[in-house]
């Protein structure tokens, strides 16, 4: 069966929206920015949590382990900042550390399969909800993660439910050099993929997305030449004809193709603030308003973009906005010197909203000359 026919069959069989999108932007001054949108069908009540270097962690125990079994422990080797989910201190949805490492936990439904934890391995096991926090606390570069993976020194990963919800996840890991990988646990076992295009979404697995991009080799940032049929010429109806055929739906493969085109076709940015600005603009192309990505089973619980985070890995800054307030806020890790864990709610209070500039209107002189 041709691959072009396989794609829609897989989408129909396996995919709901389950929408998260991550992109990587590198400025000409070598600033690396990683941006990510979070979509889910309920309010995730996310906080941004900042933990100091040395902060202690004790992993949750799998159900196969008794209360007397030793649990895995670690202390942060770095200052870390991350967004959680459902008010849980262990559910690391996305974050960065002050070494310039980023980890994004993206939904991976119907393809994830985690590991069975023997009783004698309880002290080297971590849940999928804690995995991102563990990586942020223990590694400073992607190459360090690779080396640990190759040495088989990673903990075993098991699936932990959270308040009645199951979060099937895979992870995108990027550092301030722009190096990036994707880690997945599936029926094929644990896999580490090189993230060469700097874009990530959800199911199916990463290697499927790389193959699917071959269906869009015709995409271009440049307008197409007019079509000539006999003696009649058909010019494009406007700018953007090079992107004719770019998928506009909200499935993960389509969002990956669309985001990849935007990242690699957009003008290069010179420095960090431009890269951050571009990242927000690109994620606007996959932003999901409430109600447009519903299912017949949960029509009143449609996926929507609850928040967007843009991480400047070079300058150790975390920018974010919520669904209710498009005001962009920022936390500078270098300016935070906590001796304890700190947090701030992502979605409230609304501190920006709409700015009334009616009183700023000024007189304008009309010009009649051409």
């Amino acid at each position: 069966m041709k691959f072009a026919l396989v794609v829609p069959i897989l989408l129909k069989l396996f995919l709901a929206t389950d929408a998260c999108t991550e992109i990587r932007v590198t400025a000409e001054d070598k600033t690396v920015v990683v941006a990510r949108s979070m979509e889910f069908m309920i309010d995730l009540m996310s906080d941004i949590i900042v933990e100091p270097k040395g902060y202690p962690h004790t992993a949750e125990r799998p159900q196969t382990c008794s209360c007397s079994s030793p649990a895995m422990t670690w202390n942060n080797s770095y200052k870390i900042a991350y967004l959680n989910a459902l008010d849980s201190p262990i559910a690391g949805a996305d974050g960065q550390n002050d070494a310039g490492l980023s980890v994004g936990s993206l939904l991976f439904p119907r393809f994830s399969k985690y590991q069975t934890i023997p009783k004698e391995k309880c002290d080297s096991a971590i849940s999928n909800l804690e995995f991102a926090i563990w990586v942020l606390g223990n590694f400073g570069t992607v190459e360090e993660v690779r080396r640990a993976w190759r040495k088989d020194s990673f903990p075993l990963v098991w699936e932990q439910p959270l308040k009645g919800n199951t979060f099937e996840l895979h992870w995108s890991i990027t550092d301030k050099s722009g190096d990036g990988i994707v880690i997945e646990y599936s029926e094929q076992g644990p896999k580490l993929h090189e993230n060469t295009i700097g874009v990530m979404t959800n199911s199916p697995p990463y290697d499927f997305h790389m193959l699917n991009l071959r269906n869009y080799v015709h995409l271009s940032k440049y307008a197409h030449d007019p079509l000539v049929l006999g003696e009649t010429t058909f010019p494009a109806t406007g700018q953007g004809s090079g992107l004719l055929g770019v998928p506009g739906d909200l499935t993960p493969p389509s969002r990956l193709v669309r985001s990849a085109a935007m990242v690699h076709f957009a003008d290069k940015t010179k420095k960090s603030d431009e890269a951050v600005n571009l990242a927000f603009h690109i994620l606007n192309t996959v932003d999901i308003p409430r109600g447009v990505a519903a299912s017949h089973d949960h029509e009143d619980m449609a996926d929507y973009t609850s928040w967007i985070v843009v991480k400047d890995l070079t300058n150790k800054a975390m920018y974010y906005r919520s669904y209710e307030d498009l005001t962009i806020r920022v936390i500078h890790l270098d300016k935070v010197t906590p001796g304890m864990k700190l947090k701030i709610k992502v979605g409230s209070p609304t501190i920006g909203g709409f700015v009334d500039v009616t009183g700023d209107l000024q007189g304008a002189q009309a010009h009649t000359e051409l």
Side-chain angles (χ1 to χ4, degrees):
M1 184 180 293
K2 293 183 178 179
F3 182 73
L5 297 177
V6 173
V7 172
I9 292 173
L10 279 173
L11 298 183
K12 183 176 181 180
L13 289 175
F14 295 116
L15 297 182
T17 303
D18 292 314
C20 306
T21 304
E22 183 189 273
I23 62 171
R24 180 175 72 231
V25 175
T26 303
E28 291 180 352
D29 69 355
K30 305 302 182 184
T31 296
V32 173
V33 167
V34 173
R36 180 264 178 84
S37 66
M38 167 59 82
E39 284 79 20
F40 203 63
M41 62 181 63
I42 60 175
D43 182 2
L44 289 174
M45 300 179 290
S46 295
D47 303 300
I48 293 180
I49 296 174
V50 181
E51 294 177 355
K53 180 179 179 180
Y55 189 83
H57 287 269
T58 299
E60 297 290 310
R61 292 182 181 87
Q63 293 179 345
T64 54
C65 300
S66 67
C67 294
S68 60
S69 299
M72 179 176 161
T73 62
W74 74 93
N75 292 345
N76 288 344
S77 297
Y78 306 95
K79 185 192 307 180
I80 69 174
Y82 62 92
L83 293 95
N84 67 356
L86 299 179
D87 269 339
S88 170
I90 66 168
D94 203 287
Q96 68 191 104
N97 65 27
D98 62 355
L101 189 74
S102 160
V103 182
S105 305
L106 287 82
L107 293 169
F108 191 43
R110 287 166 289 283
F111 286 90
S112 69
K113 181 176 176 57
Y114 299 104
Q115 297 165 299
T116 301
I117 312 300
K119 292 182 179 179
E120 65 274 13
K121 295 286 188 179
C122 293
D123 60 348
S124 60
I126 194 168
S127 76
N128 61 329
L129 299 181
E130 301 166 290
F131 183 82
I133 300 172
W134 175 78
V135 173
L136 289 172
N138 285 278
F139 299 97
T141 67
V142 168
E143 185 55 34
E144 290 177 8
V145 179
R146 275 198 202 92
R147 286 199 298 266
W149 183 272
R150 291 166 185 159
K151 292 178 181 177
D152 200 24
S153 60
F154 261 53
L156 299 175
V157 179
W158 61 283
E159 183 176 66
Q160 180 179 11
L162 179 62
K163 298 184 179 180
N165 297 279
T166 299
F167 292 89
E168 299 176 88
L169 304 170
H170 57 178
W171 295 272
S172 176
I173 305 174
T174 309
D175 65 28
K176 65 181 181 181
S177 75
D179 195 7
I181 57 175
V182 171
I183 290 179
E184 296 178 335
Y185 292 82
S186 68
E187 290 281 359
Q188 287 70 47
K191 284 191 176 182
L192 185 150
H193 306 277
E194 299 298 327
N195 188 353
T196 56
I197 64 167
V199 180
M200 187 62 186
T201 56
N202 313 107
S203 302
Y206 185 76
D207 49 6
F208 171 96
H209 290 294
M210 294 303 96
L211 191 58
N212 183 46
L213 281 169
R214 296 186 183 184
N215 286 321
Y216 300 93
V217 295
H218 59 281
L219 296 180
S220 170
K221 66 187 294 182
Y222 301 105
H224 287 308
D225 293 333
L227 174 66
V228 179
L229 298 176
E231 297 182 357
T232 305
T233 298
F234 298 88
T237 54
Q239 287 295 335
S241 61
L243 290 173
L244 284 170
V246 70
D249 63 83
L250 298 173
T251 58
S254 295
R255 284 183 286 104
L256 187 140
V257 171
R258 190 160 70 253
S259 298
M262 297 295 172
V263 167
H264 292 281
F265 292 167
D267 285 346
K268 298 299 181 184
T269 56
K270 291 184 176 8
K271 52 186 181 176
S272 60
D273 57 344
E274 295 176 6
V276 169
N277 183 272
L278 174 61
F280 274 107
H281 278 290
I282 292 174
L283 286 186
N284 284 343
T285 70
V286 292
D287 194 300
I288 303 178
R290 283 193 177 108
V292 304
S295 69
H296 291 292
D297 295 333
H298 303 284
E299 190 169 349
D300 60 337
M301 298 176 68
D303 280 6
Y304 71 98
T305 303
S306 55
W307 46 259
I308 284 175
V309 60
V310 177
K311 298 166 288 186
D312 182 340
L313 304 184
T314 305
N315 297 293
K316 305 173 188 178
M318 176 180 283
Y319 300 79
Y320 64 98
R321 70 165 175 83
S322 67
Y323 186 90
E324 291 79 11
D325 186 357
L326 300 184
T327 304
I328 296 172
R329 285 155 272 185
V330 60
I331 293 173
H332 295 279
L333 274 181
D334 278 351
K335 296 180 181 179
V336 181
T337 55
M340 59 182 182
K341 181 185 288 189
L342 304 173
K343 72 175 184 178
I344 185 172
K345 184 65 68 178
V346 170
S348 62
T350 300
I351 62 172
F354 304 108
V355 178
D356 186 349
V357 297
T358 309
D360 296 334
L361 290 169
Q362 298 178 3
Q365 177 149 8
H367 293 277
T368 57
E369 68 274 7
L370 295 178

